[in-house]
Amino acid sequence: MAYLLDANIFIQAKNREYGFDFCPAFWEWIDTAHAAGVVHSIDAVHTELIGWGDDLSDWAKARPAGFFRQPDTQIVAALGTLAQWANGADYEQTARATFLNGADAQLIAHAIARGDTVVTHEVPGGSRKRIKIPEAAVAHGVRYVNPYQLLRIEQARFVLGPPPTAAPEAA
């Protein structure tokens, strides 16, 4: 079992609480957790991230092979299951189309196929106008957590070292 990161994890981290310039430890933790087989994302998220033309795009492009998982026949089969569910659920047609053609459905399909946990900032919405990750996850027995739960579960630590000692003042 691994954790699959939604695009909003990377985007919000960069723009808010874990900016590259002041919290590099978060990004280092992601790389370390990936190397340990704990954290991944998917190719569709990679495609979203590299389109920004910013430091997050550069970061995504620099990730090693395997960080962003590719779809395979099991994922395609899970997408079929998701399509049947979405088309039979009480969502507007545009909500179904948007979900099924986007990265969110692929993220859930990867989790269905591999038994992974999805990490997202999304919360259930209860709207017919949008299918959210938690709603699709619950409908398919996929576990989901927010990034703070992930960091606690995995006992991530971003600890500052002791402050630098001040240089002696000139007399």
Side-chain angles (χ1 to χ4, degrees):
M1 194 261 329
Y3 293 94
L4 298 176
L5 304 181
D6 185 13
N8 67 26
I9 300 302
F10 302 108
I11 295 165
Q12 184 169 319
K14 176 199 74 108
N15 291 335
R16 297 172 92 183
E17 60 272 344
Y18 301 119
F20 288 108
D21 57 339
F22 64 88
C23 193
F26 174 78
W27 305 95
E28 292 165 10
W29 180 85
I30 288 176
D31 286 338
T32 300
H34 169 70
V38 173
V39 171
H40 301 275
S41 194
I42 63 168
D43 186 57
V45 167
H46 182 257
T47 299
E48 285 185 25
L49 297 179
I50 63 171
W52 293 92
D54 62 3
D55 52 353
L56 181 56
S57 297
D58 295 340
W59 181 88
K61 289 174 188 173
R63 302 295 41 88
F67 185 95
F68 294 99
R69 292 179 172 175
Q70 302 295 315
D72 60 23
T73 56
Q74 291 178 310
I75 307 309
V76 172
L79 282 168
T81 300
L82 278 168
Q84 284 183 316
W85 167 78
N87 287 320
D90 191 27
Y91 292 103
E92 292 181 3
Q93 182 56 41
T94 55
R96 291 181 200 136
T98 300
F99 175 74
L100 293 171
N101 292 317
D104 289 356
Q106 291 185 46
L107 198 64
I108 295 294
H110 277 263
I112 290 169
R114 303 281 184 267
D116 293 334
T117 298
V118 174
V119 184
T120 185
H121 282 291
E122 288 188 9
V123 295
S127 170
R128 295 182 60 236
K129 296 182 181 209
R130 181 166 179 233
I131 299 175
K132 291 192 165 190
I133 287 173
E135 296 156 357
V138 168
H140 293 89
V142 169
R143 183 173 178 228
Y144 71 95
V145 297
N146 67 45
Y148 312 110
Q149 291 169 311
L150 165 65
L151 293 171
R152 285 188 176 101
I153 291 165
E154 292 300 316
Q155 300 177 350
R157 305 292 296 161
F158 308 142
V159 180
L160 293 173
T165 56
E169 291 188 33

